């Protein structure tokens, strides 16, 4: 229907008013949404802050309450989209001052302070190489270096007194030098934010003759002295934390994935079929009643043995006269590497570190 000029103008005016009104309404709702987003953001920040404070408060309360030492580690925050992972290695059973000849071991092994120094360097280099391989798919900023004992051979057997290349005090000095060189290497080349060092004393480092002590063991161990010296050495380096327990176990809480570290001489094994597994599973069952752990790391048995809930470490010293004499199965000198996916709370790697 044809419209007059005046009518058309009136309709145009009406359309413009409606359009203005619509755009004002949109501008208003946009403004409201922006304001809400800002408010939510502020709210989220406040909640994050409160959560952080409460977590710290909880940690402090737990630390006071817990009879068994547990070290709480908050992993460094992720900076990339890769899986945040904590990598670690077990160093144990280096027996730095002990000697092995090829003649004692059917030609399989030779060990002296010189070989020991070379293998110690390889341990750190190859641990870092495994970290780099993992970094293909994971972000690794925290490294757990487990020092699980028997770095020194000591004078605990008559045989050792007669064959060791060093006295126990010389061994402590030598082991300290090797560990500092390795830790410095990890700090310089590893691109880690933090290095966590849980320590466990072995049975070889005891200062007393006869059987190992229990309650008085840490205060009478060359190795606890060695670990305390390491802690002193790195006291000004914010990246390094050394944990020395007062008992046979140290527990690390890696964002609710619990690591249990121990030397491994507290469970018995007399060469039964199935190897370490059966006595170990029984021991794990007992330890679980004290404190639950997701992964148990131990040394002492000179046998690299990764299991579903544990990793037994090999030895740096390798096959020796005693192993040959009692007829232990040969294994190369090796240590262990592991990786833990922080968000999944799962172990993603357990691998040998060959040090020969
Ligand atoms: Mn041992």
């Amino acid at each position: 229907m044809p419209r007059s000029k005046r009518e058309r103008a009136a309709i145009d005016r009406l359309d413009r008013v409606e359009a203005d009104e619509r755009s004002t309404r949109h501008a208003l709702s946009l403004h409201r949404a922006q304001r809400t987003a800002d408010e939510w953001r502020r709210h989220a920040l406040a909640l994050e802050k409160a959560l952080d404070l409460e977590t710290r408060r909880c940690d402090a309360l737990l630390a006071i309450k817990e009879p068994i030492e547990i070290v709480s580690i908050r992993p460094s925050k992720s900076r990339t989209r890769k899986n945040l992972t904590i990598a670690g290695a077990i160093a144990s059973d280096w027996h730095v001052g002990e000697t092995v000849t090829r003649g004692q071991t059917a030609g399989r092994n030779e060990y002296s302070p010189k070989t020991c120094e070379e293998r110690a360097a390889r341990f750190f280099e190859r641990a870092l190489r495994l970290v780099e391989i993992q970094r293909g798919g994971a972000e690794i900023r925290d490294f757990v270096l487990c020092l699980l004992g028997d770095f020194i051979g000591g004078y605990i057997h008559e045989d050792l007194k007669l064959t060791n290349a060093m006295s126990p005090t010389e061994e402590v000095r030598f082991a300290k030098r090797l560990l500092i060189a390795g830790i410095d290497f990890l700090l310089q080349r590893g691109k880690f934010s933090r290095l966590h060092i849980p320590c466990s004393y072995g049975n070889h480092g005891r200062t007393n003759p006869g059987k190992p002590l229990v309650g008085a063991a840490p205060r009478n161990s060359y190795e606890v002295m060695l670990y305390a010296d390491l802690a002193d050495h790195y006291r000004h380096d914010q990246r390094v934390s050394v944990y020395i327990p007062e008992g046979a176990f140290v527990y690390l809480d890696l964002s609710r994935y619990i690591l249990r570290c121990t030397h491994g001489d507290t469970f018995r094994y007399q060469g039964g079929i199935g190897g370490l597994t059966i006595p170990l599973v029984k021991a794990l069952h007992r330890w679980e009643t004290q404190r639950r752990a997701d992964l148990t790391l131990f040394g002492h048995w000179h046998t690299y043995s990764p299991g579903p809930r544990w990793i037994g470490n090999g030895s740096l010293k390798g096959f020796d006269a005693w192993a040959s004499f009692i007829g232990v199965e040969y294994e190369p000198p090796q240590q262990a590497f592991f990786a833990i996916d922080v968000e999944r709370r799962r172990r993603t790697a357990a691998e040998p570190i060959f040090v020969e």
Side-chain angles (χ1 to χ4, degrees):
M1 191 181 5
R3 281 183 173 135
S4 73
K5 217 172 165 184
R6 269 177 67 187
E7 270 178 331
R8 276 204 304 274
I11 288 168
D12 280 352
R13 259 203 314 280
L14 204 63
D15 281 350
R16 272 202 300 279
V17 168
E18 272 176 10
D20 280 354
E21 202 187 334
R22 266 202 309 275
S23 81
T24 313
R25 254 200 328 265
H26 283 154
L28 257 172
S29 70
L30 188 67
H31 178 68
R32 229 175 273 137
Q34 258 165 0
R35 207 183 57 194
T36 338
D38 283 346
E39 275 166 11
W40 279 115
R41 224 168 275 138
R42 266 201 302 278
H43 198 52
L45 275 176
L47 280 176
E48 256 174 43
K49 234 185 213 170
L51 180 68
D52 198 43
L53 190 73
E54 285 309 315
T55 315
R56 263 184 286 160
R57 219 174 264 167
C58 264
D59 287 349
L61 280 174
L62 279 174
I64 297 165
K65 246 182 84 181
E66 291 301 327
I68 300 171
E69 189 163 355
I70 179 149
V71 183
S72 196
I73 288 168
R74 206 141 341 121
S76 308
K77 286 216 169 86
S78 172
R79 286 175 181 165
T80 62
R81 282 163 159 231
K82 288 180 177 177
N83 283 349
L84 190 62
T85 294
I86 294 178
I90 315 175
S92 79
D93 306 279
W94 287 18
H95 300 259
V96 298
E98 291 184 26
T99 57
V100 179
T101 65
R102 296 215 179 267
Q104 290 171 331
T105 53
R108 297 310 295 267
N109 194 24
E110 179 277 322
Y111 197 63
S112 65
K114 185 174 168 285
T115 332
C116 168
E117 184 157 10
E118 288 162 5
R119 288 182 189 175
R122 270 182 221 125
F123 163 73
F124 288 105
E125 283 161 19
R126 291 179 184 175
L128 199 52
R129 196 190 296 167
L130 290 170
V131 169
E132 291 304 338
I133 291 169
Q134 288 287 324
R135 275 181 172 151
E139 182 181 352
I140 298 174
R141 298 179 58 205
D142 292 71
F143 191 81
V144 183
L145 175 65
C146 306
L147 304 182
L148 298 192
D150 283 358
F151 285 94
I152 76 162
Y155 282 158
I156 64 163
H157 305 307
E158 197 57 30
D159 219 28
L160 295 177
K161 282 186 200 165
L162 300 172
T163 56
N164 281 3
M166 293 177 188
S167 76
T169 50
E170 287 168 336
E171 282 190 285
V172 170
R173 303 278 302 160
F174 183 46
K176 184 177 159 185
R177 184 162 69 74
L178 300 181
L179 287 169
I180 287 175
I183 294 166
D184 284 348
F185 169 79
L186 292 179
L187 289 171
Q188 284 157 17
R189 309 277 288 277
K191 292 179 243 132
F192 299 116
S193 302
R194 284 185 302 168
L195 213 56
H196 311 279
I197 310 183
C199 302
S200 189
Y201 50 86
N203 53 313
H204 275 259
R206 63 183 186 267
T207 56
N208 59 298
K211 281 189 172 178
L213 298 168
V214 179
R219 292 174 60 204
N220 295 282
S221 161
Y222 288 116
E223 266 171 358
V224 171
M225 183 176 78
L226 163 67
Y227 300 148
D229 277 357
L230 286 179
D232 284 345
H233 185 86
Y234 289 103
R235 70 188 176 279
H236 296 306
D237 195 321
Q238 297 292 309
R239 293 168 295 175
V240 182
S241 312
V242 181
Y243 312 107
I244 309 169
E246 285 172 27
F249 301 91
V250 58
Y251 289 85
L252 257 71
D253 181 345
L254 308 171
S255 199
R256 283 188 286 143
Y257 184 91
I258 314 289
L259 278 188
R260 178 191 289 120
C261 302
T262 187
H263 177 59
D265 56 328
T266 58
F267 64 95
R268 297 278 153 255
Y269 165 58
Q270 272 129 10
I273 296 291
L276 281 174
T277 310
I278 289 165
L280 175 63
V281 167
K282 281 155 96 181
L284 281 174
H285 194 68
R286 293 191 301 271
W287 298 339
E288 288 289 289
T289 66
Q290 298 179 23
R291 178 179 286 286
R292 191 196 69 79
D294 295 283
L295 182 64
T296 300
L297 308 175
F298 61 93
H300 183 67
W301 299 97
H302 295 211
T303 306
Y304 171 71
S305 49
R309 289 185 295 134
W310 65 84
I311 305 172
N313 202 28
S315 87
L316 192 93
K317 178 194 175 192
F319 205 65
D320 62 7
W322 174 251
S324 174
F325 178 74
I326 62 166
V328 170
E329 195 179 315
Y330 171 80
E331 80 165 54
Q334 56 193 344
Q335 303 276 274
F337 172 85
F338 60 91
I340 291 148
D341 185 311
V342 174
E343 265 166 38
R344 290 187 176 85
R345 296 196 186 89
R346 293 269 167 188
R347 188 179 81 197
T348 49
E351 294 172 50
I353 302 172
F354 299 116
V355 294
E356 209 167 20

